[in-house]
Amino acid sequence: MNIKEKIRILKIFRVIVQIIFFIFMPSLFSQAFAGVKEAVALIGKGENLILSDFVIKLLILCTVTIIFGRIFCGFVCSFGAVGDWFYMLSEFIQKKTGRKLPVIPSKWQVYLQKLKYIVLICVIGFCFLGKGEYVTKYSPWTVFSLITSRNFKLGAYITGVVLLLLIVVGMMLKERFFCQFLCPLGAVFSLLPKLPIFHVKKKGQQCFDRCSACTNRCPVHLKYDEADIRDGECISCGRCFVVCPHRIKKNK
């Protein structure tokens, strides 16, 4: 089985998993992040943490992330799935029309990935100060959650609608645009420790000279040379393991 076939099988598997979770648990992202907001708000009030449904879902996802890495981001999150589908649509349109959309330069991507931590800090600040309703009212993931629950009464969330539309445009320009640059829940998961067995690690002398197969396929632009520093950015999509020529050669 060649690399293209392996990538195609992985892609099909991911889409199937994403569709299943999109149908049955489309708001899991919003609910888990609501757990973050709720916990911070209680801390800001000086109250004890309550294990609500939102907080429990957050703790479960954090535990999964610690054990398996950001597999929620790579396979489960409906917001991330929609980003993948819009990017696939963008690739299809570009291929059929022969026109390329503007591309975000690689050297900017690492810096732009820091934006999600700023978003997280701002959200935490509002919730800590008891102003969490502003986050709910103006956030694009609130609008996304309403849409996926077939609630289209969005008149009170115009700012969130505009932001969501801008994010969709970004999703078509850059793979995993929201996940990389703006997702506050992704920022939380990236800061969690992970069991060593699931770390992205360079194979050292086993890697071929000047090989960049994994980097070229990585949706979050993670280089193996930087894996120890930026391992939290990995969304556990599995592409690097599929395209690694060392593994292919070893398995022949």
Side-chain angles (χ1 to χ4, degrees):
M1 187 181 298
N2 60 39
I3 293 178
K4 288 185 178 180
E5 291 174 338
K6 289 185 176 182
I7 293 176
R8 183 176 65 84
I9 292 173
L10 176 63
K11 187 175 184 179
I12 292 173
F13 175 73
R14 286 184 67 205
V15 170
I16 291 174
V17 174
Q18 288 173 333
I19 290 174
I20 291 173
F21 277 96
F22 185 84
I23 293 173
F24 295 103
M25 303 182 73
S27 298
L28 187 55
F29 164 86
S30 299
Q31 292 171 357
F33 194 63
V36 175
K37 295 187 291 182
E38 186 177 298
V40 173
L42 289 173
I43 293 173
K45 294 177 183 178
E47 299 179 7
N48 294 328
L49 182 64
I50 300 174
L51 291 180
S52 66
D53 288 344
F54 294 153
V55 173
I56 290 174
K57 288 177 180 178
L58 172 65
L59 292 176
I60 291 173
L61 291 182
C62 286
T63 302
V64 170
T65 301
I66 291 172
I67 297 173
F68 299 106
R70 289 174 59 184
I71 196 169
F72 170 79
C73 302
F75 285 84
V76 177
C77 178
S78 292
F79 213 120
V82 169
D84 283 342
W85 300 339
F86 271 112
Y87 189 72
M88 285 189 283
L89 175 62
S90 173
E91 287 185 314
F92 176 78
I93 294 174
Q94 292 178 72
K95 183 177 180 180
K96 290 298 182 181
T97 61
R99 296 182 178 181
K100 295 291 184 180
L101 293 175
V103 177
I104 298 176
S106 296
K107 63 180 181 179
W108 290 7
Q109 292 181 40
V110 176
Y111 298 106
L112 290 174
Q113 286 173 357
K114 309 303 180 186
L115 289 175
K116 63 178 173 291
Y117 300 103
I118 297 176
V119 174
L120 176 62
I121 291 171
C122 291
V123 170
I124 288 176
F126 276 111
C127 293
F128 186 82
L129 296 173
K131 305 294 183 181
E133 68 274 10
Y134 291 107
V135 178
T136 301
K137 184 176 180 180
Y138 298 116
S139 69
W141 48 87
T142 297
V143 175
F144 178 80
S145 181
L146 290 172
I147 292 174
T148 54
S149 61
R150 295 179 292 280
N151 182 350
F152 300 101
K153 297 179 180 179
L154 306 174
Y157 303 96
I158 298 301
T159 301
V161 171
V162 173
L163 290 175
L164 182 59
L165 291 175
L166 291 175
I167 288 171
V168 168
V169 173
M171 287 173 169
M172 299 189 75
L173 293 176
K174 175 60 185 171
E175 188 172 15
R176 289 286 173 155
F177 175 87
F178 179 76
C179 306
Q180 288 193 75
F181 308 139
L182 299 173
C183 181
L185 189 59
V188 172
F189 290 154
S190 70
L191 296 173
L192 294 176
K194 299 175 185 64
L195 295 183
I197 190 173
F198 291 106
H199 276 197
V200 176
K201 291 185 178 180
K202 186 177 175 65
K203 291 183 173 63
Q205 298 300 321
Q206 295 178 347
C207 285
F208 299 129
D209 290 339
R210 299 180 181 177
C211 176
S212 58
C214 52
T215 299
N216 292 337
R217 289 288 182 176
C218 180
V220 297
H221 198 63
L222 179 62
K223 298 180 181 179
Y224 264 23
D225 289 339
E226 303 169 340
D228 291 337
I229 301 174
R230 298 177 55 232
D231 185 46
E233 298 294 337
C234 175
I235 60 171
S236 300
C237 67
R239 287 189 193 173
C240 55
F241 298 102
V242 170
V243 302
C244 178
H246 173 76
R247 295 183 75 250
I248 294 171
K249 182 177 180 181
K250 183 178 179 181
N251 293 333
K252 285 184 177 180

